[in-house]
Amino acid sequence: MDNSTLIKAAIAVTILLLITVLVLSFYTKKQSRNTVLLLGICDAGKTSLYTLLRFGEKRSTVSSMKENEGQLAISNKTFDVVDLPGHERVRYRYVDFLPVAQSIVFVIDSTTLNKQVRSVAEYLYDVLAKPQVQKNRIPVLVVCNKSDMITALPTEKIRLMLESEINRLRSTRTARVEQSEEDETEVFLGYEGEDFKFEHVDNELEFVSCSVENKDIEKVQDWIRN
Ligand SMILES: Nc1nc2c(ncn2[C@@H]2O[C@H](COP(=O)(O)OP(=O)(O)OP(=O)(O)O)[C@@H](O)[C@H]2O)c(=O)[nH]1
Ligand SMILES: [Mg+2]
């Protein structure tokens, strides 16, 4: 074989390799970000919402210790959906699913937020400040569930309560981050020197109310679909 044949063969092999890599990366990218994560503390209504989204019906639930996974069809589009348990010992395992997360639906019980604002804010803070959530600009929908109850707080009030709680948490958490800066585990949320506001977060972030009990989840379905 002369030199020019060798060069031609090398070029052909390189081009083939490049095409394979491109096709594979396109395919895996498309495949890998198709999952909607349902997060939130215990009793928020994640499994109830998951069941209603997937099967169009309400079923009685027990507190989850393991995630539920399945497919969801909303007007001709299919999504993978994962309902993660809210128990405090396992709720942070959601990070394992971030590589495949297309969006995050963060569920809150609007009737108990007065008592639980600290744990809800801690969890939401953790999610929003994750470098992977920030880098990939994963959209987050905060769902204020149980709006059928007379004791449910209005969405705007919930937003303000969480803003001020996250603001409080931020000062303590930032101090902790500065101690261990080399392994960046969380990003600073919002603007330095300014009170925290959800609008300071770069991700698409929205609040809606819903009631799984009354099968009133249209806003959630619309958001997931778009
Ligand atoms: N009134 C009312 N109750 C609801 C609603 N959605 C869920 N619930 C009730 O809230 C309780 C908790 O619901 P789950 O779906 O099991 O809560 P979860 O978020 O999956 O809780 P964990 O699995 O412990 O993390 C159940 O008794 C549900 O029937 C709602 O829209 N309105
Ligand atoms: Mg559950």
Side-chain angles (χ1 to χ4, degrees), residues 40-42 44 91-92 106-110 112-127 142-143 158 161-162 165-166 169 173 198 207:
I41 68 167
C42 275
R91 67 171 71 130
Y92 291 100
F106 190 93
V107 188
I108 293 176
D109 179 342
S110 319
T112 55
L113 193 70
N114 274 322
K115 277 185 290 177
Q116 298 184 318
V117 67
R118 170 55 72 99
S119 14
V120 173
E122 266 177 358
Y123 195 17
L124 183 56
Y125 188 117
D126 192 86
V127 172
V142 181
V143 171
I158 291 175
M161 281 170 73
L162 287 174
E165 193 61 32
I166 286 181
L169 284 170
R173 292 182 71 131
F198 283 112
F207 278 68

PDB file of all heavy atoms in Angstrom, residues 40-42 44 91-92 106-110 112-127 142-143 158 161-162 165-166 169 173 198 207:
ATOM      1  N   GLY A  40     -40.473  16.640  47.118  1.00  0.00           N
ATOM      2  CA  GLY A  40     -41.230  17.314  48.169  1.00  0.00           C
ATOM      3  C   GLY A  40     -41.133  16.504  49.439  1.00  0.00           C
ATOM      4  O   GLY A  40     -40.800  15.313  49.397  1.00  0.00           O
ATOM      5  N   ILE A  41     -41.432  17.134  50.588  1.00  0.00           N
ATOM      6  CA  ILE A  41     -41.309  16.398  51.849  1.00  0.00           C
ATOM      7  C   ILE A  41     -42.508  15.439  51.997  1.00  0.00           C
ATOM      8  O   ILE A  41     -43.429  15.459  51.194  1.00  0.00           O
ATOM      9  CB  ILE A  41     -41.159  17.344  53.071  1.00  0.00           C
ATOM     10  CG1 ILE A  41     -42.440  18.131  53.325  1.00  0.00           C
ATOM     11  CG2 ILE A  41     -39.983  18.294  52.888  1.00  0.00           C
ATOM     12  CD1 ILE A  41     -42.455  18.842  54.684  1.00  0.00           C
ATOM     13  N   CYS A  42     -42.492  14.637  53.076  1.00  0.00           N
ATOM     14  CA  CYS A  42     -43.534  13.641  53.337  1.00  0.00           C
ATOM     15  C   CYS A  42     -44.921  14.263  53.312  1.00  0.00           C
ATOM     16  O   CYS A  42     -45.109  15.364  53.813  1.00  0.00           O
ATOM     17  CB  CYS A  42     -43.347  13.065  54.743  1.00  0.00           C
ATOM     18  SG  CYS A  42     -42.198  11.732  54.792  1.00  0.00           S
ATOM     19  N   ALA A  44     -46.833  15.509  51.114  1.00  0.00           N
ATOM     20  CA  ALA A  44     -47.166  16.648  50.253  1.00  0.00           C
ATOM     21  C   ALA A  44     -48.217  16.256  49.214  1.00  0.00           C
ATOM     22  O   ALA A  44     -49.022  17.080  48.776  1.00  0.00           O
ATOM     23  CB  ALA A  44     -45.906  17.154  49.561  1.00  0.00           C
ATOM     24  N   ARG A  91     -34.849  11.471  51.078  1.00  0.00           N
ATOM     25  CA  ARG A  91     -35.287  12.465  50.074  1.00  0.00           C
ATOM     26  C   ARG A  91     -34.131  13.034  49.249  1.00  0.00           C
ATOM     27  O   ARG A  91     -34.340  13.428  48.116  1.00  0.00           O
ATOM     28  CB  ARG A  91     -36.074  13.590  50.746  1.00  0.00           C
ATOM     29  CG  ARG A  91     -35.307  14.495  51.681  1.00  0.00           C
ATOM     30  CD  ARG A  91     -36.157  15.686  52.109  1.00  0.00           C
ATOM     31  NE  ARG A  91     -37.233  15.340  53.016  1.00  0.00           N
ATOM     32  CZ  ARG A  91     -37.469  15.997  54.176  1.00  0.00           C
ATOM     33  NH1 ARG A  91     -36.734  17.028  54.524  1.00  0.00           N
ATOM     34  NH2 ARG A  91     -38.455  15.618  54.945  1.00  0.00           N
ATOM     35  N   TYR A  92     -32.910  13.015  49.817  1.00  0.00           N
ATOM     36  CA  TYR A  92     -31.799  13.625  49.073  1.00  0.00           C
ATOM     37  C   TYR A  92     -31.207  12.702  47.998  1.00  0.00           C
ATOM     38  O   TYR A  92     -30.310  13.096  47.271  1.00  0.00           O
ATOM     39  CB  TYR A  92     -30.729  14.148  50.044  1.00  0.00           C
ATOM     40  CG  TYR A  92     -31.273  15.333  50.808  1.00  0.00           C
ATOM     41  CD1 TYR A  92     -31.751  15.198  52.111  1.00  0.00           C
ATOM     42  CD2 TYR A  92     -31.376  16.584  50.200  1.00  0.00           C
ATOM     43  CE1 TYR A  92     -32.308  16.275  52.787  1.00  0.00           C
ATOM     44  CE2 TYR A  92     -31.926  17.664  50.867  1.00  0.00           C
ATOM     45  CZ  TYR A  92     -32.392  17.504  52.161  1.00  0.00           C
ATOM     46  OH  TYR A  92     -32.957  18.576  52.814  1.00  0.00           O
ATOM     47  N   PHE A 106     -41.938  20.303  42.284  1.00  0.00           N
ATOM     48  CA  PHE A 106     -41.703  20.299  43.726  1.00  0.00           C
ATOM     49  C   PHE A 106     -43.046  20.508  44.428  1.00  0.00           C
ATOM     50  O   PHE A 106     -43.654  21.573  44.330  1.00  0.00           O
ATOM     51  CB  PHE A 106     -40.713  21.423  44.076  1.00  0.00           C
ATOM     52  CG  PHE A 106     -40.221  21.369  45.489  1.00  0.00           C
ATOM     53  CD1 PHE A 106     -39.048  20.692  45.800  1.00  0.00           C
ATOM     54  CD2 PHE A 106     -40.941  21.974  46.514  1.00  0.00           C
ATOM     55  CE1 PHE A 106     -38.597  20.624  47.116  1.00  0.00           C
ATOM     56  CE2 PHE A 106     -40.497  21.907  47.835  1.00  0.00           C
ATOM     57  CZ  PHE A 106     -39.320  21.232  48.125  1.00  0.00           C
ATOM     58  N   VAL A 107     -43.508  19.459  45.125  1.00  0.00           N
ATOM     59  CA  VAL A 107     -44.868  19.484  45.682  1.00  0.00           C
ATOM     60  C   VAL A 107     -44.860  19.905  47.152  1.00  0.00           C
ATOM     61  O   VAL A 107     -44.021  19.468  47.941  1.00  0.00           O
ATOM     62  CB  VAL A 107     -45.533  18.089  45.533  1.00  0.00           C
ATOM     63  CG1 VAL A 107     -47.006  18.139  45.931  1.00  0.00           C
ATOM     64  CG2 VAL A 107     -45.405  17.575  44.099  1.00  0.00           C
ATOM     65  N   ILE A 108     -45.823  20.785  47.474  1.00  0.00           N
ATOM     66  CA  ILE A 108     -45.938  21.309  48.849  1.00  0.00           C
ATOM     67  C   ILE A 108     -47.366  21.080  49.341  1.00  0.00           C
ATOM     68  O   ILE A 108     -48.314  21.233  48.581  1.00  0.00           O
ATOM     69  CB  ILE A 108     -45.659  22.832  48.839  1.00  0.00           C
ATOM     70  CG1 ILE A 108     -44.201  23.110  48.489  1.00  0.00           C
ATOM     71  CG2 ILE A 108     -46.004  23.472  50.178  1.00  0.00           C
ATOM     72  CD1 ILE A 108     -43.905  24.587  48.362  1.00  0.00           C
ATOM     73  N   ASP A 109     -47.508  20.727  50.612  1.00  0.00           N
ATOM     74  CA  ASP A 109     -48.832  20.684  51.240  1.00  0.00           C
ATOM     75  C   ASP A 109     -49.154  22.101  51.716  1.00  0.00           C
ATOM     76  O   ASP A 109     -48.560  22.600  52.682  1.00  0.00           O
ATOM     77  CB  ASP A 109     -48.787  19.696  52.418  1.00  0.00           C
ATOM     78  CG  ASP A 109     -50.117  19.601  53.157  1.00  0.00           C
ATOM     79  OD1 ASP A 109     -50.963  20.512  53.006  1.00  0.00           O
ATOM     80  OD2 ASP A 109     -50.301  18.613  53.905  1.00  0.00           O
ATOM     81  N   SER A 110     -50.100  22.751  51.040  1.00  0.00           N
ATOM     82  CA  SER A 110     -50.408  24.160  51.357  1.00  0.00           C
ATOM     83  C   SER A 110     -51.103  24.329  52.696  1.00  0.00           C
ATOM     84  O   SER A 110     -51.281  25.450  53.162  1.00  0.00           O
ATOM     85  CB  SER A 110     -51.358  24.756  50.322  1.00  0.00           C
ATOM     86  OG  SER A 110     -51.035  24.372  49.051  1.00  0.00           O
ATOM     87  N   THR A 112     -50.131  22.776  55.585  1.00  0.00           N
ATOM     88  CA  THR A 112     -49.258  22.577  56.756  1.00  0.00           C
ATOM     89  C   THR A 112     -47.973  23.385  56.674  1.00  0.00           C
ATOM     90  O   THR A 112     -47.050  23.171  57.455  1.00  0.00           O
ATOM     91  CB  THR A 112     -48.876  21.083  56.895  1.00  0.00           C
ATOM     92  OG1 THR A 112     -48.295  20.656  55.648  1.00  0.00           O
ATOM     93  CG2 THR A 112     -50.064  20.220  57.224  1.00  0.00           C
ATOM     94  N   LEU A 113     -47.923  24.309  55.728  1.00  0.00           N
ATOM     95  CA  LEU A 113     -46.647  25.005  55.504  1.00  0.00           C
ATOM     96  C   LEU A 113     -46.208  25.837  56.721  1.00  0.00           C
ATOM     97  O   LEU A 113     -45.011  25.975  56.974  1.00  0.00           O
ATOM     98  CB  LEU A 113     -46.703  25.893  54.251  1.00  0.00           C
ATOM     99  CG  LEU A 113     -45.316  26.372  53.837  1.00  0.00           C
ATOM    100  CD1 LEU A 113     -44.472  25.239  53.289  1.00  0.00           C
ATOM    101  CD2 LEU A 113     -45.390  27.509  52.827  1.00  0.00           C
ATOM    102  N   ASN A 114     -47.181  26.370  57.467  1.00  0.00           N
ATOM    103  CA  ASN A 114     -46.799  27.147  58.653  1.00  0.00           C
ATOM    104  C   ASN A 114     -45.873  26.353  59.564  1.00  0.00           C
ATOM    105  O   ASN A 114     -44.889  26.877  60.074  1.00  0.00           O
ATOM    106  CB  ASN A 114     -48.055  27.559  59.438  1.00  0.00           C
ATOM    107  CG  ASN A 114     -48.628  28.846  58.880  1.00  0.00           C
ATOM    108  OD1 ASN A 114     -47.878  29.744  58.496  1.00  0.00           O
ATOM    109  ND2 ASN A 114     -49.944  28.922  58.816  1.00  0.00           N
ATOM    110  N   LYS A 115     -46.199  25.070  59.735  1.00  0.00           N
ATOM    111  CA  LYS A 115     -45.397  24.222  60.639  1.00  0.00           C
ATOM    112  C   LYS A 115     -44.143  23.697  59.957  1.00  0.00           C
ATOM    113  O   LYS A 115     -43.156  23.385  60.602  1.00  0.00           O
ATOM    114  CB  LYS A 115     -46.231  23.013  61.097  1.00  0.00           C
ATOM    115  CG  LYS A 115     -47.133  23.316  62.268  1.00  0.00           C
ATOM    116  CD  LYS A 115     -47.826  22.046  62.732  1.00  0.00           C
ATOM    117  CE  LYS A 115     -48.844  21.620  61.707  1.00  0.00           C
ATOM    118  NZ  LYS A 115     -49.549  20.388  61.944  1.00  0.00           N
ATOM    119  N   GLN A 116     -44.194  23.582  58.621  1.00  0.00           N
ATOM    120  CA  GLN A 116     -43.116  22.855  57.943  1.00  0.00           C
ATOM    121  C   GLN A 116     -42.239  23.719  57.064  1.00  0.00           C
ATOM    122  O   GLN A 116     -41.444  23.193  56.288  1.00  0.00           O
ATOM    123  CB  GLN A 116     -43.739  21.737  57.109  1.00  0.00           C
ATOM    124  CG  GLN A 116     -44.479  20.764  58.001  1.00  0.00           C
ATOM    125  CD  GLN A 116     -45.027  19.606  57.238  1.00  0.00           C
ATOM    126  OE1 GLN A 116     -45.550  19.784  56.146  1.00  0.00           O
ATOM    127  NE2 GLN A 116     -44.927  18.426  57.789  1.00  0.00           N
ATOM    128  N   VAL A 117     -42.398  25.033  57.227  1.00  0.00           N
ATOM    129  CA  VAL A 117     -41.700  25.920  56.281  1.00  0.00           C
ATOM    130  C   VAL A 117     -40.186  25.697  56.279  1.00  0.00           C
ATOM    131  O   VAL A 117     -39.546  25.749  55.226  1.00  0.00           O
ATOM    132  CB  VAL A 117     -42.075  27.405  56.534  1.00  0.00           C
ATOM    133  CG1 VAL A 117     -41.561  27.890  57.871  1.00  0.00           C
ATOM    134  CG2 VAL A 117     -41.601  28.284  55.393  1.00  0.00           C
ATOM    135  N   ARG A 118     -39.622  25.364  57.465  1.00  0.00           N
ATOM    136  CA  ARG A 118     -38.173  25.173  57.534  1.00  0.00           C
ATOM    137  C   ARG A 118     -37.742  23.973  56.683  1.00  0.00           C
ATOM    138  O   ARG A 118     -36.842  24.087  55.839  1.00  0.00           O
ATOM    139  CB  ARG A 118     -37.769  25.015  59.011  1.00  0.00           C
ATOM    140  CG  ARG A 118     -36.327  24.575  59.258  1.00  0.00           C
ATOM    141  CD  ARG A 118     -35.272  25.446  58.601  1.00  0.00           C
ATOM    142  NE  ARG A 118     -35.112  26.735  59.208  1.00  0.00           N
ATOM    143  CZ  ARG A 118     -34.179  27.077  60.077  1.00  0.00           C
ATOM    144  NH1 ARG A 118     -33.325  26.175  60.500  1.00  0.00           N
ATOM    145  NH2 ARG A 118     -34.091  28.292  60.538  1.00  0.00           N
ATOM    146  N   SER A 119     -38.385  22.816  56.876  1.00  0.00           N
ATOM    147  CA  SER A 119     -37.939  21.644  56.091  1.00  0.00           C
ATOM    148  C   SER A 119     -38.242  21.791  54.605  1.00  0.00           C
ATOM    149  O   SER A 119     -37.447  21.350  53.772  1.00  0.00           O
ATOM    150  CB  SER A 119     -38.471  20.307  56.598  1.00  0.00           C
ATOM    151  OG  SER A 119     -39.502  20.447  57.478  1.00  0.00           O
ATOM    152  N   VAL A 120     -39.372  22.437  54.287  1.00  0.00           N
ATOM    153  CA  VAL A 120     -39.681  22.622  52.871  1.00  0.00           C
ATOM    154  C   VAL A 120     -38.632  23.546  52.232  1.00  0.00           C
ATOM    155  O   VAL A 120     -38.091  23.250  51.155  1.00  0.00           O
ATOM    156  CB  VAL A 120     -41.101  23.207  52.685  1.00  0.00           C
ATOM    157  CG1 VAL A 120     -41.345  23.566  51.224  1.00  0.00           C
ATOM    158  CG2 VAL A 120     -42.152  22.222  53.172  1.00  0.00           C
ATOM    159  N   ALA A 121     -38.317  24.640  52.924  1.00  0.00           N
ATOM    160  CA  ALA A 121     -37.351  25.597  52.380  1.00  0.00           C
ATOM    161  C   ALA A 121     -35.960  24.970  52.251  1.00  0.00           C
ATOM    162  O   ALA A 121     -35.249  25.192  51.270  1.00  0.00           O
ATOM    163  CB  ALA A 121     -37.291  26.847  53.245  1.00  0.00           C
ATOM    164  N   GLU A 122     -35.592  24.154  53.251  1.00  0.00           N
ATOM    165  CA  GLU A 122     -34.276  23.496  53.196  1.00  0.00           C
ATOM    166  C   GLU A 122     -34.163  22.592  51.973  1.00  0.00           C
ATOM    167  O   GLU A 122     -33.143  22.574  51.286  1.00  0.00           O
ATOM    168  CB  GLU A 122     -34.065  22.644  54.453  1.00  0.00           C
ATOM    169  CG  GLU A 122     -33.321  23.382  55.526  1.00  0.00           C
ATOM    170  CD  GLU A 122     -33.177  22.574  56.806  1.00  0.00           C
ATOM    171  OE1 GLU A 122     -33.684  21.438  56.895  1.00  0.00           O
ATOM    172  OE2 GLU A 122     -32.560  23.121  57.734  1.00  0.00           O
ATOM    173  N   TYR A 123     -35.237  21.867  51.727  1.00  0.00           N
ATOM    174  CA  TYR A 123     -35.229  20.928  50.607  1.00  0.00           C
ATOM    175  C   TYR A 123     -35.225  21.685  49.274  1.00  0.00           C
ATOM    176  O   TYR A 123     -34.431  21.391  48.379  1.00  0.00           O
ATOM    177  CB  TYR A 123     -36.455  20.016  50.721  1.00  0.00           C
ATOM    178  CG  TYR A 123     -36.424  18.768  49.857  1.00  0.00           C
ATOM    179  CD1 TYR A 123     -35.247  18.297  49.294  1.00  0.00           C
ATOM    180  CD2 TYR A 123     -37.585  18.039  49.641  1.00  0.00           C
ATOM    181  CE1 TYR A 123     -35.244  17.149  48.513  1.00  0.00           C
ATOM    182  CE2 TYR A 123     -37.586  16.896  48.864  1.00  0.00           C
ATOM    183  CZ  TYR A 123     -36.412  16.456  48.297  1.00  0.00           C
ATOM    184  OH  TYR A 123     -36.408  15.321  47.536  1.00  0.00           O
ATOM    185  N   LEU A 124     -36.070  22.704  49.182  1.00  0.00           N
ATOM    186  CA  LEU A 124     -36.137  23.471  47.931  1.00  0.00           C
ATOM    187  C   LEU A 124     -34.811  24.195  47.670  1.00  0.00           C
ATOM    188  O   LEU A 124     -34.323  24.259  46.541  1.00  0.00           O
ATOM    189  CB  LEU A 124     -37.299  24.471  48.006  1.00  0.00           C
ATOM    190  CG  LEU A 124     -37.552  25.305  46.753  1.00  0.00           C
ATOM    191  CD1 LEU A 124     -37.782  24.425  45.524  1.00  0.00           C
ATOM    192  CD2 LEU A 124     -38.770  26.229  46.954  1.00  0.00           C
ATOM    193  N   TYR A 125     -34.222  24.703  48.761  1.00  0.00           N
ATOM    194  CA  TYR A 125     -32.921  25.363  48.640  1.00  0.00           C
ATOM    195  C   TYR A 125     -31.885  24.392  48.081  1.00  0.00           C
ATOM    196  O   TYR A 125     -31.133  24.706  47.152  1.00  0.00           O
ATOM    197  CB  TYR A 125     -32.485  25.847  50.028  1.00  0.00           C
ATOM    198  CG  TYR A 125     -31.252  26.719  50.038  1.00  0.00           C
ATOM    199  CD1 TYR A 125     -31.323  28.032  50.463  1.00  0.00           C
ATOM    200  CD2 TYR A 125     -29.998  26.229  49.650  1.00  0.00           C
ATOM    201  CE1 TYR A 125     -30.198  28.840  50.485  1.00  0.00           C
ATOM    202  CE2 TYR A 125     -28.879  27.022  49.660  1.00  0.00           C
ATOM    203  CZ  TYR A 125     -28.981  28.324  50.078  1.00  0.00           C
ATOM    204  OH  TYR A 125     -27.875  29.122  50.089  1.00  0.00           O
ATOM    205  N   ASP A 126     -31.880  23.196  48.670  1.00  0.00           N
ATOM    206  CA  ASP A 126     -30.916  22.181  48.241  1.00  0.00           C
ATOM    207  C   ASP A 126     -31.055  21.894  46.745  1.00  0.00           C
ATOM    208  O   ASP A 126     -30.068  21.793  46.030  1.00  0.00           O
ATOM    209  CB  ASP A 126     -31.164  20.894  49.046  1.00  0.00           C
ATOM    210  CG  ASP A 126     -30.042  19.896  48.873  1.00  0.00           C
ATOM    211  OD1 ASP A 126     -29.062  19.993  49.616  1.00  0.00           O
ATOM    212  OD2 ASP A 126     -30.138  19.040  47.966  1.00  0.00           O
ATOM    213  N   VAL A 127     -32.297  21.785  46.296  1.00  0.00           N
ATOM    214  CA  VAL A 127     -32.558  21.488  44.886  1.00  0.00           C
ATOM    215  C   VAL A 127     -32.073  22.643  44.004  1.00  0.00           C
ATOM    216  O   VAL A 127     -31.322  22.444  43.046  1.00  0.00           O
ATOM    217  CB  VAL A 127     -34.080  21.250  44.658  1.00  0.00           C
ATOM    218  CG1 VAL A 127     -34.389  21.126  43.179  1.00  0.00           C
ATOM    219  CG2 VAL A 127     -34.544  20.019  45.419  1.00  0.00           C
ATOM    220  N   VAL A 142     -43.161  24.767  41.348  1.00  0.00           N
ATOM    221  CA  VAL A 142     -43.552  24.549  42.740  1.00  0.00           C
ATOM    222  C   VAL A 142     -45.075  24.415  42.768  1.00  0.00           C
ATOM    223  O   VAL A 142     -45.792  25.334  42.380  1.00  0.00           O
ATOM    224  CB  VAL A 142     -43.081  25.709  43.648  1.00  0.00           C
ATOM    225  CG1 VAL A 142     -43.479  25.441  45.093  1.00  0.00           C
ATOM    226  CG2 VAL A 142     -41.570  25.910  43.534  1.00  0.00           C
ATOM    227  N   VAL A 143     -45.528  23.235  43.181  1.00  0.00           N
ATOM    228  CA  VAL A 143     -46.959  22.936  43.153  1.00  0.00           C
ATOM    229  C   VAL A 143     -47.520  23.021  44.571  1.00  0.00           C
ATOM    230  O   VAL A 143     -47.133  22.263  45.452  1.00  0.00           O
ATOM    231  CB  VAL A 143     -47.182  21.517  42.584  1.00  0.00           C
ATOM    232  CG1 VAL A 143     -48.626  21.097  42.749  1.00  0.00           C
ATOM    233  CG2 VAL A 143     -46.788  21.477  41.125  1.00  0.00           C
ATOM    234  N   ILE A 158     -47.410  31.551  50.070  1.00  0.00           N
ATOM    235  CA  ILE A 158     -46.431  30.458  50.153  1.00  0.00           C
ATOM    236  C   ILE A 158     -45.098  30.900  49.551  1.00  0.00           C
ATOM    237  O   ILE A 158     -44.026  30.686  50.113  1.00  0.00           O
ATOM    238  CB  ILE A 158     -46.977  29.196  49.434  1.00  0.00           C
ATOM    239  CG1 ILE A 158     -48.151  28.638  50.244  1.00  0.00           C
ATOM    240  CG2 ILE A 158     -45.886  28.156  49.206  1.00  0.00           C
ATOM    241  CD1 ILE A 158     -48.865  27.461  49.610  1.00  0.00           C
ATOM    242  N   MET A 161     -43.403  33.254  51.991  1.00  0.00           N
ATOM    243  CA  MET A 161     -42.890  32.545  53.175  1.00  0.00           C
ATOM    244  C   MET A 161     -41.607  31.799  52.836  1.00  0.00           C
ATOM    245  O   MET A 161     -40.650  31.792  53.609  1.00  0.00           O
ATOM    246  CB  MET A 161     -43.932  31.531  53.670  1.00  0.00           C
ATOM    247  CG  MET A 161     -45.058  32.148  54.478  1.00  0.00           C
ATOM    248  SD  MET A 161     -46.369  30.943  54.755  1.00  0.00           S
ATOM    249  CE  MET A 161     -45.610  29.873  55.968  1.00  0.00           C
ATOM    250  N   LEU A 162     -41.592  31.170  51.653  1.00  0.00           N
ATOM    251  CA  LEU A 162     -40.402  30.397  51.267  1.00  0.00           C
ATOM    252  C   LEU A 162     -39.236  31.321  50.935  1.00  0.00           C
ATOM    253  O   LEU A 162     -38.083  31.013  51.255  1.00  0.00           O
ATOM    254  CB  LEU A 162     -40.724  29.484  50.085  1.00  0.00           C
ATOM    255  CG  LEU A 162     -41.597  28.279  50.435  1.00  0.00           C
ATOM    256  CD1 LEU A 162     -41.993  27.510  49.190  1.00  0.00           C
ATOM    257  CD2 LEU A 162     -40.873  27.345  51.412  1.00  0.00           C
ATOM    258  N   GLU A 165     -37.741  32.391  54.231  1.00  0.00           N
ATOM    259  CA  GLU A 165     -37.063  31.278  54.912  1.00  0.00           C
ATOM    260  C   GLU A 165     -35.753  30.922  54.190  1.00  0.00           C
ATOM    261  O   GLU A 165     -34.731  30.667  54.826  1.00  0.00           O
ATOM    262  CB  GLU A 165     -38.006  30.067  54.973  1.00  0.00           C
ATOM    263  CG  GLU A 165     -37.559  28.957  55.902  1.00  0.00           C
ATOM    264  CD  GLU A 165     -37.433  29.365  57.357  1.00  0.00           C
ATOM    265  OE1 GLU A 165     -38.198  30.234  57.818  1.00  0.00           O
ATOM    266  OE2 GLU A 165     -36.524  28.828  58.026  1.00  0.00           O
ATOM    267  N   ILE A 166     -35.782  30.927  52.866  1.00  0.00           N
ATOM    268  CA  ILE A 166     -34.555  30.634  52.103  1.00  0.00           C
ATOM    269  C   ILE A 166     -33.525  31.731  52.360  1.00  0.00           C
ATOM    270  O   ILE A 166     -32.329  31.469  52.494  1.00  0.00           O
ATOM    271  CB  ILE A 166     -34.882  30.491  50.599  1.00  0.00           C
ATOM    272  CG1 ILE A 166     -35.589  29.161  50.353  1.00  0.00           C
ATOM    273  CG2 ILE A 166     -33.602  30.578  49.739  1.00  0.00           C
ATOM    274  CD1 ILE A 166     -35.968  28.865  48.911  1.00  0.00           C
ATOM    275  N   LEU A 169     -31.947  30.856  55.603  1.00  0.00           N
ATOM    276  CA  LEU A 169     -31.086  29.675  55.470  1.00  0.00           C
ATOM    277  C   LEU A 169     -29.790  29.999  54.747  1.00  0.00           C
ATOM    278  O   LEU A 169     -28.742  29.432  55.033  1.00  0.00           O
ATOM    279  CB  LEU A 169     -31.799  28.597  54.655  1.00  0.00           C
ATOM    280  CG  LEU A 169     -32.896  27.799  55.338  1.00  0.00           C
ATOM    281  CD1 LEU A 169     -33.639  26.958  54.307  1.00  0.00           C
ATOM    282  CD2 LEU A 169     -32.276  26.882  56.387  1.00  0.00           C
ATOM    283  N   ARG A 173     -26.012  28.549  55.367  1.00  0.00           N
ATOM    284  CA  ARG A 173     -25.481  27.588  54.396  1.00  0.00           C
ATOM    285  C   ARG A 173     -24.289  28.142  53.650  1.00  0.00           C
ATOM    286  O   ARG A 173     -23.360  27.422  53.333  1.00  0.00           O
ATOM    287  CB  ARG A 173     -26.567  27.150  53.419  1.00  0.00           C
ATOM    288  CG  ARG A 173     -27.615  26.320  54.130  1.00  0.00           C
ATOM    289  CD  ARG A 173     -28.672  25.844  53.198  1.00  0.00           C
ATOM    290  NE  ARG A 173     -28.216  24.829  52.286  1.00  0.00           N
ATOM    291  CZ  ARG A 173     -28.870  23.690  52.069  1.00  0.00           C
ATOM    292  NH1 ARG A 173     -29.960  23.422  52.736  1.00  0.00           N
ATOM    293  NH2 ARG A 173     -28.435  22.822  51.189  1.00  0.00           N
ATOM    294  N   PHE A 198     -37.187  34.638  44.457  1.00  0.00           N
ATOM    295  CA  PHE A 198     -37.201  33.555  43.473  1.00  0.00           C
ATOM    296  C   PHE A 198     -36.863  34.058  42.072  1.00  0.00           C
ATOM    297  O   PHE A 198     -36.299  33.344  41.264  1.00  0.00           O
ATOM    298  CB  PHE A 198     -38.550  32.826  43.473  1.00  0.00           C
ATOM    299  CG  PHE A 198     -38.696  31.879  44.629  1.00  0.00           C
ATOM    300  CD1 PHE A 198     -39.607  32.134  45.634  1.00  0.00           C
ATOM    301  CD2 PHE A 198     -37.904  30.746  44.715  1.00  0.00           C
ATOM    302  CE1 PHE A 198     -39.730  31.267  46.709  1.00  0.00           C
ATOM    303  CE2 PHE A 198     -38.010  29.872  45.778  1.00  0.00           C
ATOM    304  CZ  PHE A 198     -38.935  30.132  46.783  1.00  0.00           C
ATOM    305  N   PHE A 207     -44.838  29.032  40.257  1.00  0.00           N
ATOM    306  CA  PHE A 207     -45.662  28.508  41.346  1.00  0.00           C
ATOM    307  C   PHE A 207     -47.094  28.318  40.825  1.00  0.00           C
ATOM    308  O   PHE A 207     -47.622  29.238  40.194  1.00  0.00           O
ATOM    309  CB  PHE A 207     -45.715  29.522  42.505  1.00  0.00           C
ATOM    310  CG  PHE A 207     -44.539  29.469  43.429  1.00  0.00           C
ATOM    311  CD1 PHE A 207     -43.278  29.863  43.000  1.00  0.00           C
ATOM    312  CD2 PHE A 207     -44.688  29.048  44.745  1.00  0.00           C
ATOM    313  CE1 PHE A 207     -42.186  29.820  43.853  1.00  0.00           C
ATOM    314  CE2 PHE A 207     -43.602  28.997  45.611  1.00  0.00           C
ATOM    315  CZ  PHE A 207     -42.352  29.386  45.167  1.00  0.00           C
TER     316      PHE A 207
END
